[in-house]
Amino acid sequence: MYGTFLAASAITAVMVFVSLQFVSAPYGRHARRGWGPAVPSKIGWIVMEGVAALAIVYFFLRQHPTMTPTLWLLIGLWEVHYINRSFIYPLRTRTRGKTNPVAIVLMAMAFNTWNGYLNGHWLGAHAADYTASWIQRPSFIAGLACFAAGFAINVWSDEILLRLRSGTNTGYTVPRGGLFRFVSCPNYFGELVEWTGWALMTWSPAGLVFVLWTAANLVPRARSHHRWYREQFADYPRERRAIIPFVY
Ligand SMILES: NC(=O)c1ccc[n+]([C@@H]2O[C@H](COP(=O)([O-])OP(=O)(O)OC[C@H]3O[C@@H](n4cnc5c(N)ncnc54)[C@H](OP(=O)(O)O)[C@@H]3O)[C@@H](O)[C@H]2O)c1
C-alpha cells in the first residue's frame, strides 16, 4: 500500500502544479473573496504548519524504531525547520487584520499530515538502514550541505521581507538585498533547495515526493508573485527572475 500511496502523491503533485497555473492560493497578496470563512493569518500558519512537526514524530514512532544518531539528526533537522515555520516565523509576521481561508488551512493540514506520514513511516520502517555510517555517504553529505544552505536562504529571505514592514503597516514594497538581487522569491528558492537536501540525505522516495510537492506549490506561486510585482511597481528590476536565479 505504501508504494501506491507514494505514486498517488507524486501524481497528485503534478495535478496540483497544473491547477496552480490557473489559480493562486488565496492568501497573502493573492487573498480574495469567495473562499468561505477565514481565520487570522498567524493562527492559520501556527495550526497548519504545527501539524507537520507532530505528524512525522507520530508516524515514525508507530514503527517502534531503534534510534540511531543518524535518525536523531534527520528528525532534528525536520523539527528545526518546522518549529521555525510554525511558531517563530508566524509570530514575527506583520499581518494584522489579514486572514487565511479555513479551506486553505485545512488543505495545508491534510498535506502536512500526509507528508509527515510518508516521511515518518519511511524513516521508521527503514530505521535499521540509517546507521552511523549512513552519514558518510556522499548523498548524505551533499544533502546536508543543501539542507543547511536552503534553510539559511529561506530564513534570511523571510527576514528581509519581515523587515519591510513596521508598526501596523501591512503594505508591500520592493524587496532588495540578499538573493532578491536575482529572484522575486528567494524564500521559496531556499525552501526548494532545503527539501532537495532532505531527499538526498534520506535517499528516499518519500523525500523525493516532498520535493515534487514543494515545487508544485512554490514554482507557480513564485510566478504569480513575480507577475504581481511587475504589475504593481513600474521600476521593478527587469533582470530579476521568479524563483531560480538566472533560470526562471
Ligand atoms: N513547503 C511549501 O510547500 C511551502 C508552501 C508555502 C509557504 N512556504 C514557506 O512559508 C514561508 C511564507 O510563505 P508565503 O507564501 O507567505 O511567503 P511570501 O508571500 O513571500 O510572504 C512572506 C511574508 O512577508 C510578507 N511580504 C511578502 N512580500 C512582501 C513585500 N514585498 N513587502 C512587504 N511584506 C512582504 C508577507 O505578507 P502578506 O502575508 O501580507 O503577503 C508575509 O508575511 C516561506 O518561507 C515559504 O517558503 C512553504
Side-chain angles (χ1 to χ4, degrees), residues 27-30 41 45 49 81-82 85 89 93-95 98 100 111 154-155 158 161-162 164-165 170-175 180 184-185 187-192 195 210 213-215 217-218 221 225 228-229 233:
Y27 72 90
R29 79 197 63 192
H30 305 294
S41 178
W45 276 97
E49 299 294 319
H81 173 90
Y82 277 108
R85 174 66 62 240
Y89 166 78
T93 53
R94 292 185 186 270
T95 49
K98 296 201 170 186
N100 284 1
F111 168 72
N154 178 258
V155 171
D158 276 343
L161 290 174
L162 296 181
L164 291 177
R165 289 180 179 161
T170 56
Y172 296 91
T173 44
V174 175
F180 283 100
S184 294
C185 302
N187 50 346
Y188 295 172
F189 172 64
E191 187 103 20
L192 205 47
W195 296 115
F210 187 15
W213 267 94
T214 305
N217 271 315
L218 297 185
R221 190 162 181 84
H225 275 27
W228 181 92
Y229 274 126
F233 301 100

Side-chain angles (χ1 to χ4, degrees), residues 92-175:
R92 299 189 60 226
T93 53
R94 292 185 186 270
T95 49
R96 198 167 169 202
K98 296 201 170 186
T99 57
N100 284 1
V102 172
I104 291 290
V105 174
L106 291 177
M107 278 190 260
M109 285 174 75
F111 168 72
N112 281 327
T113 305
W114 184 247
N115 193 42
Y117 159 68
L118 290 180
N119 282 277
H121 181 89
W122 178 274
L123 292 179
H126 297 84
D129 295 338
Y130 293 99
T131 57
S133 64
W134 183 274
I135 61 174
Q136 293 165 11
R137 293 165 62 122
S139 54
F140 183 91
I141 295 166
L144 184 59
C146 274
F147 189 94
F151 181 73
I153 292 169
N154 178 258
V155 171
W156 181 28
S157 308
D158 276 343
E159 186 65 31
I160 290 173
L161 290 174
L162 296 181
R163 288 184 184 188
L164 291 177
R165 289 180 179 161
S166 58
T168 54
N169 163 30
T170 56
Y172 296 91
T173 44
V174 175

Side-chain angles (χ1 to χ4, degrees), residues 182-185 226 239-248:
F182 305 109
V183 288
S184 294
C185 302
H226 189 60
E239 67 286 1
R240 259 185 220 185
R241 311 304 278 252
I243 180 167
I244 313 278
F246 311 112
V247 177
Y248 182 80

Side-chain angles (χ1 to χ4, degrees), residues 11-30:
I11 292 167
T12 313
V14 174
M15 289 162 61
V16 166
F17 178 77
V18 172
S19 312
L20 291 177
Q21 305 301 314
F22 305 102
V23 54
S24 304
Y27 72 90
R29 79 197 63 192
H30 305 294

